[in-house]
Amino acid sequence: MKMQQFLQFLNQQLIHWRRQYTALRRKGKLMRSPKAKTHRRELLRTMLKNILLFLSKTNHKSVGVARRRHRRKQERSLKPKAKSVKTQSSIYAVGLDWAYQQRYSVILAIAIVSLTGVIGNKLYNQTQLQVGNPAPQTITAPYTANIENQKKTEAKRKAVSESSLQMLMLDARVNEEINKNLQQLLDDGNEIRAVAGAFPFLNSVILSISTQRYLRSCPESEWQALLLTVENSKNPQKKPKGQTTASSNQERQPRTTPKSDSQSPKKTEPTDFSQNTDFTQAVAELESYRLITSEKNLSLLIALISQARQRYTQATAKLLQLESVKPEAVYEESLLLDLLDVEWKKTQTGIHQITERILAQGIPQGLPKNILQDAVSLQLQTFVPEDAETLAKNVLLAVLKPNLQNDEEQTRENAQKAAAGVPPVMEKVHSGEVIVKKGAQITAWNFEVLEHYHLIRREIKWQELLKLGSVIAIAISIFVWVERHIDYELRQRDRLLVLLLTLSVPGAIAIGLPYTTWSALGLLLGSFYGSTLALTVVGLLLPILGMSLEMSKAALLAGVGGGILGSYIAQRLRSREELALLGVAIALTQGGIYLVVKILIGQAFGSTWYIVLQEAGLFALSGLGWSIVALGLSPYLEKVFDLVTPIRLAELANPNRPLLKRLATETPGTFQHTLLVATLAEAAAKELGCNVELVRAGTLYHDIGKMHDPLGFIENQMGGPNKHDTEIKDPWKSAEIIKKHVTEGLVMARKHLLPTAIQAFIPEHQGTMLIAYFHHQAQQMAQENPSLIVDDADFRYDGPIPQSRETGIVMLADSCEAALRSLQVSAKSPGKKPLLKDVSTEQALTMLNNILRAKWQDNQLVDSGLTREEMSQIAEIFVEVWQQFHHKRIAYPKFKASGAALNS
């Protein structure tokens, strides 16, 4: 008895210590060791087993003796086989056992070595001799050889490349601009000629073309003199033909009072136009026309000429106006308006043809002006009327300009071909010739010769690798410290996945990819493990890569920006569609940061701006591409590494999942019970800051094992007979059926590849609780039949007890849901008042507190992390949810039957 009391006291002290330690750990006052929790569990289980053996030793001595005999018999039969296998497998067993015990250290060592190896890949094959360093000794050539002088070869090829012809290409934009300007000039000419009217404006039989040209454009004084001459030709006594004076015109005006000499106008001397051949020819043609026609027709002809002169004057004014607006105008009055309509049409067609020919041949930059003029003149002789050559030449020279630009791509290809055709410059090095003297500076040529003779020793820069390994070890230490302080205990497989994803960034750089996997790293780590761990990895990787690898700072910052965005937002999203939009945001972030950095350092200006824009676009596309890769890998990584993300939990909670559809169809009562438990558990998890998505999904699957025997559970019997009372009538068998829903549930969960975090809800929601109803039946039967022995282990679930706050909350919700339902049933039984009038909130809360206290005293929540204060809070939350579902209703008045109403 003393030993039993001692063990009980020791057990109580151990439980008290575990509760205090768990409370401190949950509050963040203690750092957690990855091994301590496992050791504590093993210690507690060992103590409990010893206590149970000690207690059962006195009561079941005979049973214990039989068990020991059976075990010794099995050991004797297995001993020879063990001896034969022991020598072969002992080394492997010891090695595996050591590796398992030291798995955390092994993962840590693998992380340091792999990260150092990938990031420091350039430190493996470094030469001892470097260009520019002094030679440690005099080195001579071991044999005669012809060695390529790469520097001279490169210089020769560069000279050939630079001397290669510059390739030109037509600039379509310039051609379009030239054609547009040409058409505008021709449109201006058409507009001016339209104002002037058609030319010739008379049939050339009546007046010749030259006379029409003269009459339309001659000065007003000549026109008036011509009219006077034609009029006087009727009366020969008047003044001679071709003479007129200003005084003759004045005779037609009324006389005025003579003024002083200073005020009187000066008399104009007569002007003689008889020497003007155009004048005399026009007079002669008009007089000839008078002879063959009537005076009336002559008057009409003169009126038509006057009208043509007016239109010509308006066109001249229009031309002057155009020259004032466009100083570069090329039209002259005599050149544009004197052309016949047919000639002008041919001139326009010829100008277009000449322009097309010259532009097709191309006008290079820096072409002398006289060469272009000669080329235009040569073309004019073929396509333009002789009278319009000057006009056409002015138009063409006004619009034509260089339309050839450098074809950089073709020029580069030609230069590369020319350079590739240059043979290498070979120099002969004789045997015994001194390559480099001791202490002399090693040149590039010396290095080439030494490399040819394999005299360059290569080595691993161990010192640099150790420095890099130390930096990486410090970074991993920081990561471990962050992991301890965010209340997220990583498994070894999680650490391995973090390592693989981290290695993807320097790995991509090592194989030469310019666009690294930052976006995929941030998106996956943020989705799997939260923003804190993901940001820690990205933040630690940034300085290490910046110091160790030669890469563009703009590219590094752009990638880190995309990784930070993905790390911070990924776990907040609840659908694949939102993650896809996050990929677009990451792409814009990477491209924008790259462009901004290039602008800040001044590389986005000048002739390279288009290259910077192109690179920014490629960085944006790479961010989107790696995000798509991450989205595609995410489901596979979740399966392989047994991860639960908010999106996967939402998918598992879909009622259309195969297991949940079966649960709703085969066990409708259990499904309704599951939904109510989920409602209670979600409310409590949300209030306590637990993982609500995990609680929801885990609760929906916690009772799937009941599908193995639906009628074995009362909620599925639908008021029918209870098979435990009518068929089985054995509490031990009934307890086995009840317990089997846990083991069968685990089998179903593994078959459907449910995550381990979801599987944990199946056994842990029952823990090691006692199946009280059938245990009580067994005790009653044992009282009636003393030969029956009631072992509590036969009526307890196999466990384990809840190992997390989430499974602990589901255990409490599962127990309280049945109790709250019993309140509802009792309140709705015949002869009782409505529920909320019979059962008060205080009564419901008292009942739930008693249930939770029993679970606490039964040590079911020791490893869950829930505190005693939180138990009371959970009870209040359950009651609030219960009240929301079963609220008071309006009491409707009772009415008499219709027949009674009629008789009254």
Side-chain angles (χ1 to χ4, degrees):
M1 292 297 294
K2 291 183 179 180
M3 178 61 70
Q4 184 177 1
Q5 293 176 357
F6 170 74
L7 291 175
Q8 289 178 351
F9 172 77
L10 182 62
N11 189 28
Q12 292 175 357
Q13 291 296 321
L14 181 60
I15 292 172
H16 178 70
W17 172 80
R18 286 172 60 81
R19 287 176 179 171
Q20 287 183 337
Y21 183 82
T22 303
L24 292 174
R25 183 189 62 190
R26 290 296 176 183
K27 293 179 181 179
K29 296 182 179 181
L30 292 176
M31 291 180 61
R32 297 184 298 167
S33 171
K35 297 181 181 179
K37 197 170 184 178
T38 304
H39 292 335
R40 290 197 301 273
R41 291 176 188 168
E42 292 177 356
L43 178 61
L44 179 59
R45 289 170 185 167
T46 302
M47 295 295 294
L48 291 175
K49 288 180 181 178
N50 291 335
I51 292 171
L52 292 175
L53 289 173
F54 183 84
L55 293 176
S56 61
K57 186 175 181 180
T58 56
N59 296 329
H60 310 290
K61 187 174 181 180
S62 59
V63 177
V65 170
R67 289 178 179 175
R68 284 196 298 273
R69 287 177 181 175
H70 181 68
R71 186 169 62 252
R72 289 172 183 172
K73 188 176 180 180
Q74 288 181 339
E75 290 176 354
R76 291 193 195 101
S77 62
L78 294 175
K79 192 172 182 180
K81 297 180 181 179
K83 286 182 179 179
S84 62
V85 178
K86 186 175 181 181
T87 55
Q88 299 176 6
S89 60
S90 60
I91 297 177
Y92 301 104
V94 170
L96 292 175
D97 183 64
W98 178 87
Y100 179 78
Q101 292 177 358
Q102 303 295 327
R103 59 190 182 278
Y104 183 80
S105 301
V106 170
I107 291 291
L108 181 63
I110 292 174
I112 295 175
V113 171
S114 58
L115 285 171
T116 304
V118 174
I119 297 175
N121 63 89
K122 293 185 178 180
L123 300 175
Y124 302 150
N125 197 22
Q126 295 291 315
T127 58
Q128 292 181 347
L129 300 178
Q130 299 288 342
V131 175
N133 294 343
Q137 61 185 13
T138 300
I139 305 175
T140 59
Y143 55 87
T144 303
N146 288 324
I147 303 173
E148 178 187 355
N149 190 326
Q150 295 182 1
K151 185 176 181 180
K152 292 184 179 180
T153 302
E154 186 65 27
K156 188 175 181 180
R157 289 175 177 172
K158 184 177 180 181
V160 172
S161 176
E162 291 177 351
S163 62
S164 62
L165 293 176
Q166 185 75 23
M167 301 301 295
L168 301 176
M169 63 183 295
L170 293 174
D171 192 338
R173 182 180 55 83
V174 174
N175 286 351
E176 182 179 356
E177 182 180 354
I178 291 172
N179 289 322
K180 181 179 179 181
N181 294 337
L182 175 61
Q183 189 60 46
Q184 183 63 43
L185 279 178
L186 296 178
D187 290 343
D188 291 341
N190 287 326
E191 184 178 356
I192 294 170
R193 286 183 60 88
V195 173
F199 187 77
F201 55 89
L202 285 173
N203 192 333
S204 58
V205 176
I206 300 173
L207 291 178
S208 63
I209 300 298
S210 59
T211 299
Q212 291 185 45
R213 187 179 290 121
Y214 167 73
L215 292 175
R216 190 175 65 158
S217 61
C218 68
E220 183 65 22
S221 58
E222 291 188 33
W223 169 246
Q224 292 298 330
L226 187 145
L227 290 177
L228 184 59
T229 304
V230 172
E231 183 180 354
N232 292 336
S233 64
K234 296 178 184 180
N235 189 358
Q237 284 84 14
K238 292 192 176 184
K239 293 185 179 181
K241 181 174 67 173
Q243 284 189 346
T244 183
T245 59
S247 61
S248 63
N249 294 330
Q250 291 175 359
E251 292 176 355
R252 305 176 186 176
Q253 299 177 0
R255 294 183 181 181
T256 58
T257 307
K259 299 181 181 180
S260 60
D261 296 339
S262 61
Q263 294 180 351
S264 61
K266 297 181 180 179
K267 291 184 179 181
T268 306
E269 294 295 330
T271 304
D272 187 6
F273 296 106
S274 59
Q275 302 301 320
N276 189 337
T277 57
D278 292 334
F279 181 88
T280 55
Q281 182 180 351
V283 171
E285 290 185 8
L286 287 174
E287 289 179 350
S288 299
Y289 183 74
R290 171 185 287 171
L291 295 176
I292 63 174
T293 187
S294 63
E295 289 291 336
K296 182 179 179 180
N297 289 338
L298 179 62
S299 299
L300 291 175
L301 177 61
I302 292 174
L304 184 60
I305 296 172
S306 299
Q307 185 180 0
R309 286 179 56 80
Q310 290 177 2
R311 295 175 67 91
Y312 186 87
T313 303
Q314 293 175 2
T316 305
K318 181 76 175 178
L319 184 59
L320 292 175
Q321 181 183 0
L322 180 64
E323 291 178 353
S324 63
V325 175
K326 298 180 179 180
E328 69 279 3
V330 297
Y331 293 123
E332 296 181 10
E333 176 184 345
S334 59
L335 297 177
L336 177 64
L337 299 179
D338 289 349
L339 289 176
L340 302 179
D341 289 347
V342 177
E343 292 177 336
W344 171 244
K345 187 176 181 179
K346 290 181 179 179
T347 301
Q348 292 186 85
T349 304
I351 289 174
H352 280 297
Q353 292 175 343
I354 294 170
T355 303
E356 184 178 353
R357 279 196 167 198
I358 293 178
L359 292 182
Q361 294 174 356
I363 305 173
Q365 297 284 347
L367 182 69
K369 189 174 181 180
N370 61 329
I371 295 179
L372 181 61
Q373 291 175 353
D374 294 341
V376 170
S377 300
L378 185 63
Q379 297 289 338
L380 289 173
Q381 297 175 6
T382 306
F383 294 99
V384 175
E386 183 178 357
D387 293 340
E389 288 184 3
T390 303
L391 173 63
K393 184 176 182 180
N394 293 339
V395 172
L396 289 170
L397 292 178
V399 297
L400 291 177
K401 60 181 179 180
N403 67 332
L404 292 178
Q405 63 177 359
N406 294 334
D407 189 345
E408 296 181 0
E409 183 177 355
Q410 189 64 37
T411 301
R412 191 184 310 110
E413 291 181 2
N414 290 347
Q416 290 174 354
K417 291 180 181 179
V422 176
V425 178
M426 308 297 293
E427 294 189 7
K428 191 172 185 179
V429 179
H430 297 278
S431 175
E433 182 180 342
V434 175
I435 300 174
V436 61
K437 294 182 179 179
K438 181 179 180 181
Q441 189 176 15
I442 299 175
T443 63
W445 166 243
N446 298 147
F447 192 85
E448 291 176 17
V449 175
L450 294 173
E451 185 76 2
H452 178 82
Y453 287 116
H454 302 288
L455 298 176
I456 301 292
R457 296 181 182 178
R458 298 188 178 273
E459 62 179 355
I460 299 176
K461 298 291 185 179
W462 292 106
Q463 186 176 2
E464 299 296 328
L465 282 174
L466 288 175
K467 290 180 181 179
L468 179 59
S470 302
V471 174
I472 292 174
I474 295 172
I476 293 176
S477 302
I478 296 173
F479 173 80
V480 173
W481 182 85
V482 173
E483 175 195 342
R484 294 287 189 273
H485 282 74
I486 63 170
D487 197 27
Y488 193 104
E489 186 175 350
L490 295 180
R491 304 163 297 175
Q492 300 306 325
R493 67 182 70 182
D494 296 326
R495 296 188 177 94
L496 180 61
L497 178 58
V498 172
L499 174 61
L500 292 176
L501 293 176
T502 305
L503 283 171
S504 67
V505 177
I509 299 174
I511 63 177
L513 289 178
Y515 311 107
T516 53
T517 63
W518 286 104
S519 56
L521 174 68
L523 196 149
L524 290 174
L525 287 182
S527 179
F528 294 159
Y529 305 113
S531 59
T532 304
L533 277 180
L535 289 172
T536 301
V537 173
V538 173
L540 292 174
L541 201 56
L542 169 62
I544 295 176
L545 295 184
M547 294 184 299
S548 306
L549 299 178
E550 297 178 0
M551 59 184 304
S552 169
K553 304 305 178 187
L556 181 63
L557 293 176
V560 170
I564 290 175
L565 182 63
S567 302
Y568 187 72
I569 299 180
Q571 200 174 45
R572 303 183 182 186
L573 306 181
R574 294 296 181 267
S575 68
R576 306 286 181 189
E577 181 181 1
E578 291 178 343
L579 283 177
L581 293 177
L582 176 59
V584 176
I586 290 174
L588 296 176
T589 301
Q590 288 197 177
I593 291 177
Y594 184 86
L595 184 60
V596 169
V597 173
K598 287 293 186 179
I599 290 175
L600 291 178
I601 63 179
Q603 293 187 6
F605 305 102
S607 59
T608 60
W609 64 269
Y610 63 93
I611 299 178
V612 174
L613 286 178
Q614 180 182 358
E615 285 294 323
L618 291 175
F619 264 97
L621 290 177
S622 71
L624 180 61
W626 283 117
S627 299
I628 294 173
V629 171
L631 288 176
L633 288 176
S634 179
Y636 300 101
L637 294 177
E638 290 172 358
K639 291 280 187 181
V640 173
F641 290 90
D642 191 26
L643 299 168
V644 285
T645 61
I647 294 176
R648 191 181 184 195
L649 291 174
E651 293 172 349
L652 289 172
N654 188 341
N656 291 319
R657 301 284 294 189
L659 270 179
L660 296 182
K661 290 182 72 174
R662 281 187 57 196
L663 184 67
T665 305
E666 300 176 14
T667 58
T670 299
F671 186 69
Q672 293 300 321
H673 157 76
T674 298
L675 295 179
L676 293 174
V677 173
T679 304
L680 296 174
E682 282 184 55
K686 184 177 181 181
E687 193 68 25
L688 297 181
C690 300
N691 190 335
V692 179
E693 290 85 0
L694 179 60
V695 169
R696 181 189 300 114
T699 307
L700 291 176
Y701 290 93
H702 81 286
D703 269 346
I704 57 174
K706 291 183 178 180
M707 287 188 289
H708 85 283
D709 189 0
L711 295 180
F713 302 90
I714 191 169
E715 66 265 20
N716 298 314
Q717 294 171 2
M718 303 300 179
N722 191 338
K723 65 182 292 185
H724 296 284
D725 297 333
T726 58
E727 299 178 12
I728 301 175
K729 299 180 181 180
D730 185 349
W732 279 270
K733 291 184 179 179
S734 297
E736 283 297 323
I737 292 174
I738 300 300
K739 290 169 61 177
K740 198 173 182 181
H741 90 274
V742 172
T743 55
E744 289 295 326
L746 287 173
V747 171
M748 293 179 185
R750 293 178 185 128
K751 181 180 178 180
H752 287 79
L753 301 177
L754 293 182
T756 304
I758 300 297
Q759 295 181 24
F761 284 84
I762 297 174
E764 292 180 19
H765 87 279
Q766 296 291 0
T768 58
M769 288 192 302
L770 186 68
I771 306 174
Y773 181 81
F774 296 111
H775 181 261
H776 180 68
Q777 278 190 355
Q779 286 181 330
Q780 288 181 338
M781 294 175 65
Q783 289 177 359
E784 296 175 359
N785 185 2
S787 62
L788 295 175
I789 299 175
V790 179
D791 188 355
D792 289 352
D794 295 335
F795 296 91
R796 282 191 179 272
Y797 290 98
D798 296 331
I801 60 176
Q803 301 297 304
S804 65
R805 290 157 62 87
E806 287 77 12
T807 55
I809 290 173
V810 174
M811 169 186 273
L812 301 178
D814 186 63
S815 302
C816 293
E817 187 274 335
L820 292 173
R821 186 158 26 91
S822 68
L823 289 178
Q824 179 186 2
V825 172
S826 63
K828 288 185 178 180
S829 57
K832 296 233 177 167
K833 296 180 181 180
L835 172 64
L836 294 179
K837 291 184 179 180
D838 261 355
V839 181
S840 64
T841 302
E842 289 76 13
Q843 289 174 329
L845 186 60
T846 301
M847 183 185 65
L848 294 190
N849 279 322
N850 292 334
I851 295 173
L852 301 187
R853 188 182 302 109
K855 296 290 185 292
W856 182 266
Q857 292 175 351
D858 195 24
N859 299 322
Q860 296 297 316
L861 302 169
V862 173
D863 291 337
S864 67
L866 294 172
T867 64
R868 191 67 187 88
E869 294 78 10
E870 289 174 337
M871 303 286 284
S872 301
Q873 187 179 357
I874 290 172
E876 295 176 358
I877 296 169
F878 287 169
V879 171
E880 289 178 4
V881 175
W882 172 69
Q883 285 179 321
Q884 293 171 5
F885 271 89
H886 307 291
H887 54 78
K888 291 183 179 181
R889 299 184 181 272
I890 298 174
Y892 291 93
K894 295 182 179 179
F895 295 96
K896 294 181 179 180
S898 59
L902 291 173
N903 294 331
S904 60

